[in-house]
């Protein structure tokens, strides 16, 4: 339990040091845009890389996310891609590749990755991507190429 606390404190310290240009509450339009981008990207991903759905994984992810963020609901997915990677989709969704998941030696390493991805969302990084895409008139709102997933 102290390892979870250490991971959470590390993320909070990093988050407090970072200057967040999105520190004000997002507008309804921004929230809807982020939700649409997350949904589109998740759809894009699962068409290319099947999601690994195992009930024991769901229970493990729920245990970890409840310790890291007890007041929020998070969706963690594992996709069948051998390269180690993890990323935030926005809308409290995180994706971990099979390659990274198999590299974890224990639950604390998983917690560190999840807390890192949570920090991206809390700092507004996903919102920055979706806002940038909106400004460039990207209609499909699929930020997946940002994650270098086309390589394989």
């Amino acid at each position: 339990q102290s390892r979870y606390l250490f991971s959470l404190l590390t993320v909070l310290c990093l988050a407090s040091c970072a200057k967040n240009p999105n520190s004000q509450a997002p507008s309804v339009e921004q929230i809807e845009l982020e939700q649409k981008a997350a949904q589109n990207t998740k759809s894009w991903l699962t068409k290319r890389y099947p999601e690994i759905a195992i009930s024991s994984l769901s229970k493990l992810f729920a245990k970890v996310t409840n310790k890291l963020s007890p007041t929020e609901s998070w969706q963690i997915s594992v996709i069948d891609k051998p390269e180690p990677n993890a990323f935030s989709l926005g809308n409290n969704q995180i994706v971990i590749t099979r390659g990274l998941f198999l590299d974890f030696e224990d639950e604390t390493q998983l917690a560190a990755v999840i807390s890192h991805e949570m920090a991206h969302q809390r700092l507004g990084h996903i919102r920055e991507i979706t806002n940038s895409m909106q400004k460039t008139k990207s209609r499909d709102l699929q930020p997946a190429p940002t994650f270098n997933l086309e390589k394989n």
Side-chain angles (χ1 to χ4, degrees):
Q1 205 173 31
S2 63
R3 289 181 180 175
Y4 282 108
L5 183 58
F6 176 75
S7 295
L8 182 59
L9 288 175
T10 301
V11 170
L12 292 175
C13 287
L14 291 173
S16 67
C17 295
K19 184 178 179 185
N20 182 4
N22 296 307
S23 58
Q24 66 188 72
S27 68
V28 171
E29 181 180 315
Q30 288 174 319
I31 292 169
E32 289 172 353
L33 185 66
E34 186 176 316
Q35 289 171 341
K36 183 176 180 182
Q39 181 181 25
N40 288 351
T41 303
K42 181 77 180 273
S43 175
W44 183 92
L45 282 170
T46 54
K47 286 178 185 171
R48 287 158 181 79
Y49 311 104
E51 190 172 345
I52 300 170
I54 302 171
S55 63
S56 59
L57 281 182
S58 298
K59 290 176 185 174
L60 173 63
F61 296 150
K63 175 183 171 186
V64 171
T65 58
N66 287 337
K67 286 183 179 181
L68 293 171
S69 182
T71 61
E72 294 179 290
S73 176
W74 290 83
Q75 181 185 356
I76 314 296
S77 303
V78 177
I79 57 171
D80 193 11
K81 184 161 175 58
E83 292 78 21
N85 200 357
F87 42 89
S88 298
L89 298 181
N91 201 31
N92 287 10
Q93 296 182 51
I94 296 170
V95 174
I96 300 171
T97 63
R98 174 180 47 86
L100 181 60
F101 187 79
L102 293 175
D103 282 346
F104 294 139
E105 293 179 12
D106 58 32
E107 206 173 283
T108 59
Q109 291 177 343
L110 172 65
V113 168
I114 290 174
S115 63
H116 173 89
E117 298 305 330
M118 285 176 167
H120 280 301
Q121 291 190 46
R122 289 191 175 127
L123 291 171
H125 298 165
I126 309 309
R127 193 167 305 114
E128 289 172 6
I129 292 170
T130 54
N131 286 342
S132 173
M133 292 176 69
Q134 184 181 38
K135 288 176 186 171
T136 61
K137 306 292 186 220
S138 179
R139 295 285 178 220
D140 58 0
L141 292 173
Q142 293 184 2
T146 304
F147 306 117
N148 296 319
L149 293 172
E150 291 298 323
K151 298 174 185 174
N152 185 352

